[in-house]
Amino acid sequence: MALMTMETKDPLHIPAGRGIAAELIAVLVAVIGEAPHIMTIRDARALPSGPFESSHRSLQSGLREWVEQQTGHPIGYMEQLYTFADRDRGHEGKSAISISYLGLTREESRADARDSEWRDWYDYFPWEDHRKGTPELFEAVVAPRLKQWADESTSKAARADRWQRAAITFGLDEFAWNEELVLQRYELLYEAGLVTEAERGQKPVLPGRAMLADHRRILATGIARLRAKIKYRPVVFELMPPAFSLLQLQRSVEALAGRLLHKQNFRRLIEQQELVEETGLSSFETGGRPAKLFRFRQAVLAERAAAGTKLPLLRP
Amino acid sequence: MALMTMETKDPLHIPAGRGIAAELIAVLVAVIGEAPHIMTIRDARALPSGPFESSHRSLQSGLREWVEQQTGHPIGYMEQLYTFADRDRGHEGKSAISISYLGLTREESRADARDSEWRDWYDYFPWEDHRKGTPELFEAVVAPRLKQWADESTSKAARADRWQRAAITFGLDEFAWNEELVLQRYELLYEAGLVTEAERGQKPVLPGRAMLADHRRILATGIARLRAKIKYRPVVFELMPPAFSLLQLQRSVEALAGRLLHKQNFRRLIEQQELVEETGLSSFETGGRPAKLFRFRQAVLAERAAAGTKLPLLRP
DNA sequence: GCTATAAATGCTCAAAGTGAGTATTATAGT
DNA sequence: ACTATAATACTCACTTTGAGCATTTATAGC
């Protein structure tokens, strides 16, 4: 094995002369009541964000600083979402890099600082909430407009392709609704001209609040990631108060997933995975049989480092 | 897709004055024979990489350019891995951002360009290959050294914590081996002083080739991601030739996962998911009953946009 | 042709996990 | 007491997995 000395004196590459700008963007989530919310700034038209500067110790800490400064709100759990470059975004023709993060927090209704504001994320994506069944929007607007978009293609094959893509991502025809396809749906709607990334006068066909630049796309990425993650990691608990009833927990998951769950089976799942433990307390607030209050078993974070296998393994 | 007008005139933030350097790094994977390989440069001590420059259209295309220039090898499937900032990495005190990608390709044994070279990834992580059972390394070095490391702690609780962490990530004691924890294992070994990120004189305790800067850590991230992904997305096929036998396919998955699979159940899985279709050809090369050759059913990419649910949903 | 060897392929069976209920119990408000 | 609202308990068919045995179809060497 060849030996060799450290790289501080021998960098792999000389950095490019001009340098580029880097921006940090946060999708900061909290569940308030039974609705999933995100932190916004600028009249609810932008996500909290700011430049990454050389004074920041790391990307994460840079983001934390910005978010706390802009929203007065500390972030609990954080994970990186995606990094993208956009030549058009930078100043003076410089290209810019945006690094987005997903953050989870408990809402603690402090006085909202500056122009920051919690907003129901379904304000931006009304078609993503299927808790009350498929929104009427689908039959009224989404399906016919996508059909129309598909039919605009010239070749028969292209029409079929477009329609199949639309049917799959929106759960039309025989396809089942898949709540994880948030980003694909947004991109398809954008491609079909049913939403506009940043408003510019013309009315969008679909309801739903727009955002500056590509923030709505980033939000879609965050929602998709979170909807996927709650299924195999105990991240919901980052959004719950210290003690909660199982129904509260279920309502939170439903809020995030945008669909209703089977109560008994949900409980069975939670219990058999030993995710929670009783606090001994009960809640009498809802008027019904009192609900036992539980807390998250922190130990599972250590015990189960990861999800289970899906490979058909051979004998141990 | 229409370009946004919005933000060019009204950027969300004025970019920081100095700008920073951005580097693109690739974990480029191919399966050669029955061994997983990665593309390396610099005497197999670095991953292909290069600065992101304003001439690049996007991060992806910038990376493609660099990799093709350095290795003469085009990339098929690509996905982003992780972005990190390292103050010590930049030039002249500038901070630098590194954006890493995972790329999959079929090896086509062209004359290797420049100093690029395919390398078995287990050269860098010998403890990750469990296809021939748990490596002797574990009983001989890993377990005792980690025990020793745990025992260095002062408090009893800290010793127990350390040991439990080691046992979980390495599948010691009663815990099962989890092939996905590549990064966690590397980080723990680093913390325990059993590997050194870049060698500088002192011999590391464990065998395994080192790399420049933090490239070995990035490689660990890529392997972990790929091991997780093969379980729920048909990405293995990106690494297979156009026609292959089911055993070849199994051997490839085993190479990546570092564990052996149950043949009959593996086949059942592949077939019931309708991932492949017969080509009508057979392979007589192995000396045994000839194997039918299959090809990947491209259609599944369209049909199944995503993985299945795990939530206990309510009636449709 | 016969035999050893190497796979491919077919089939079984129990255990565990899921989906979709019905039934019962405990409170608060009227 | 009666009703509304939940919490909680239990059932049952069906599917998916893990593990293994058995059979079939080839090649290579004798």
Side-chain angles (χ1 to χ4, degrees):
Chain A
M1 199 179 317
L3 290 180
M4 123 106 226
T5 43
M6 196 63 205
E7 283 311 294
T8 9
K9 292 170 193 163
D10 176 25
L12 286 172
H13 304 280
I14 311 298
R18 301 172 66 200
I20 52 174
E23 188 190 26
L24 298 167
I25 307 184
V27 176
L28 182 57
V29 178
V31 174
I32 306 177
E34 299 189 351
H37 282 65
I38 50 150
M39 180 58 84
T40 62
I41 60 169
R42 289 210 177 186
D43 192 29
R45 284 167 49 251
L47 297 170
S49 62
F52 173 66
E53 289 164 344
S54 40
S55 66
H56 294 138
R57 274 173 302 116
S58 68
L59 293 173
Q60 288 225 6
S61 65
L63 186 69
R64 277 180 202 278
E65 277 178 38
W66 273 107
V67 169
E68 293 181 14
Q69 198 180 109
Q70 282 175 52
T71 71
H73 211 94
I75 311 178
Y77 174 87
M78 268 185 77
E79 75 174 54
Q80 208 178 79
L81 273 178
Y82 203 75
T83 301
F84 42 95
D86 195 336
R87 302 190 67 182
D88 302 324
R89 295 275 299 289
H91 211 53
E92 297 160 11
K94 257 185 175 176
S95 49
I97 285 181
S98 299
I99 303 142
S100 56
Y101 277 82
L102 172 67
L104 305 182
T105 188
R106 292 172 243 285
E107 194 266 337
E108 273 148 17
S109 62
R110 63 181 65 204
D112 279 347
R114 292 96 208 169
D115 69 338
S116 71
E117 190 184 349
W118 287 112
R119 274 293 191 132
D120 189 323
W121 77 29
Y122 294 120
D123 289 353
Y124 303 92
F125 302 102
W127 56 87
E128 290 292 343
D129 189 359
H130 286 229
R131 285 176 293 178
K132 288 166 187 160
T134 306
E136 310 82 42
L137 202 57
F138 273 67
E139 239 189 285
V141 191
V142 175
R145 286 298 199 123
L146 288 176
K147 188 77 187 157
Q148 187 183 322
W149 167 73
D151 288 341
E152 282 166 15
S153 289
T154 47
S155 85
K156 187 172 176 180
R159 281 196 292 277
D161 274 4
R162 275 195 174 181
W163 179 248
Q164 200 201 18
R165 197 177 139 215
I168 289 170
T169 53
F170 284 89
L172 307 174
D173 284 355
E174 303 304 294
F175 294 95
W177 174 253
N178 182 339
E179 72 280 352
E180 290 186 30
L181 306 181
V182 188
L183 182 60
Q184 287 91 322
R185 280 190 284 271
Y186 182 68
E187 289 185 336
L188 197 147
L189 291 178
Y190 191 78
E191 199 178 326
L194 305 196
V195 298
T196 46
E197 190 128 341
E199 297 168 82
R200 29 166 162 176
Q202 83 270 54
K203 267 256 165 60
V205 179
L206 279 173
R209 197 176 174 85
M211 291 184 122
L212 300 183
D214 47 4
H215 285 199
R216 192 149 64 144
R217 178 186 304 271
I218 297 170
L219 175 54
T221 307
I223 295 174
R225 178 80 128 256
L226 186 51
R227 282 184 170 182
K229 198 130 199 176
I230 46 174
K231 292 173 186 166
Y232 61 96
R233 285 293 155 82
V235 285
V236 220
F237 300 101
E238 302 284 342
L239 299 163
M240 302 298 296
F244 49 83
S245 73
L246 292 182
L247 188 59
Q248 261 180 287
L249 182 64
Q250 183 182 338
R251 294 283 176 247
S252 294
V253 174
E254 289 174 336
L256 301 175
R259 349 185 34 172
L260 296 180
L261 305 182
H262 186 284
K263 192 196 248 189
Q264 298 92 320
N265 291 346
F266 176 76
R267 281 153 188 264
R268 177 170 64 186
L269 201 74
I270 297 295
E271 279 161 22
Q272 85 186 11
Q273 294 191 174
E274 301 181 292
L275 291 173
V276 298
E277 60 193 4
E278 296 189 14
T279 59
L281 304 174
S282 292
S283 161
F284 296 77
E285 287 177 16
T286 47
R289 176 170 172 171
K292 284 184 192 165
L293 292 178
F294 296 82
R295 74 171 71 89
F296 176 55
R297 274 187 64 237
Q298 295 289 342
V300 302
L301 292 179
E303 289 166 16
R304 263 168 296 156
T309 174
K310 283 226 165 189
L311 293 174
L313 295 174
L314 207 56
R315 51 109 191 281
Chain B
M1 200 177 298
L3 290 178
M4 285 169 278
T5 46
M6 195 67 219
E7 284 311 291
T8 11
K9 292 168 196 165
D10 176 25
L12 286 172
H13 305 281
I14 311 297
R18 303 171 65 203
I20 52 174
E23 189 190 25
L24 298 166
I25 306 183
V27 176
L28 183 57
V29 178
V31 174
I32 306 177
E34 298 189 351
H37 282 67
I38 50 151
M39 180 58 84
T40 62
I41 60 170
R42 290 206 176 188
D43 191 30
R45 284 163 47 250
L47 296 170
S49 62
F52 173 65
E53 289 164 343
S54 40
S55 66
H56 293 139
R57 275 174 301 116
S58 68
L59 293 173
Q60 288 226 5
S61 65
L63 186 71
R64 277 180 202 279
E65 277 178 38
W66 272 108
V67 169
E68 294 181 13
Q69 199 180 109
Q70 281 176 53
T71 71
H73 211 94
I75 312 179
Y77 173 88
M78 268 184 77
E79 74 174 54
Q80 208 176 81
L81 273 179
Y82 204 74
T83 300
F84 42 95
D86 194 336
R87 302 190 68 183
D88 302 324
R89 296 274 301 287
H91 212 53
E92 297 160 10
K94 257 184 175 176
S95 49
I97 286 182
S98 299
I99 303 142
S100 55
Y101 278 81
L102 172 66
L104 305 182
T105 187
R106 292 173 242 286
E107 193 267 336
E108 274 148 15
S109 62
R110 63 181 64 204
D112 278 347
R114 294 97 211 167
D115 68 338
S116 70
E117 190 184 350
W118 286 112
R119 274 293 191 132
D120 189 322
W121 78 30
Y122 295 118
D123 289 353
Y124 303 92
F125 301 102
W127 55 88
E128 291 292 343
D129 189 359
H130 286 228
R131 284 175 293 178
K132 289 167 186 158
T134 304
E136 308 82 42
L137 201 57
F138 273 65
E139 239 188 287
V141 191
V142 174
R145 286 298 201 125
L146 288 176
K147 188 76 187 158
Q148 188 183 323
W149 166 74
D151 287 340
E152 282 167 13
S153 288
T154 48
S155 85
K156 187 171 177 181
R159 282 194 292 276
D161 274 5
R162 276 194 175 182
W163 179 249
Q164 198 199 21
R165 196 176 139 216
I168 289 171
T169 54
F170 284 88
L172 306 174
D173 283 356
E174 304 303 295
F175 295 96
W177 173 253
N178 182 340
E179 72 280 352
E180 290 185 30
L181 306 181
V182 187
L183 182 60
Q184 288 91 321
R185 279 189 284 271
Y186 182 68
E187 288 185 336
L188 197 147
L189 291 179
Y190 190 78
E191 199 179 326
L194 304 196
V195 299
T196 46
E197 190 130 341
E199 295 168 81
R200 20 170 162 184
Q202 81 273 55
K203 267 253 166 60
V205 179
L206 278 174
R209 198 177 173 82
M211 291 185 120
L212 301 184
D214 48 5
H215 284 199
R216 192 150 64 144
R217 178 185 304 270
I218 296 171
L219 175 54
T221 308
I223 295 174
R225 177 80 128 259
L226 186 51
R227 282 184 170 180
K229 197 130 198 175
I230 46 174
K231 292 173 185 166
Y232 60 96
R233 284 294 153 80
V235 286
V236 219
F237 300 101
E238 303 284 342
L239 299 164
M240 303 298 295
F244 49 84
S245 73
L246 292 183
L247 188 58
Q248 261 181 283
L249 182 64
Q250 183 183 338
R251 293 285 175 245
S252 295
V253 174
E254 289 174 337
L256 301 175
R259 346 183 38 169
L260 296 180
L261 306 182
H262 185 283
K263 192 196 248 189
Q264 298 94 318
N265 291 348
F266 177 76
R267 278 150 190 265
R268 176 170 66 185
L269 200 74
I270 298 295
E271 278 160 22
Q272 84 187 12
Q273 294 192 173
E274 302 182 291
L275 292 173
V276 298
E277 60 194 4
E278 296 190 14
T279 59
L281 303 172
S282 291
S283 161
F284 297 77
E285 287 175 18
T286 48
R289 176 171 174 172
K292 284 185 192 166
L293 292 179
F294 296 82
R295 74 170 71 87
F296 176 55
R297 274 187 64 239
Q298 294 290 342
V300 301
L301 292 179
E303 288 165 17
R304 264 168 296 156
T309 174
K310 283 227 165 190
L311 294 175
L313 296 174
L314 207 55
R315 53 109 190 282

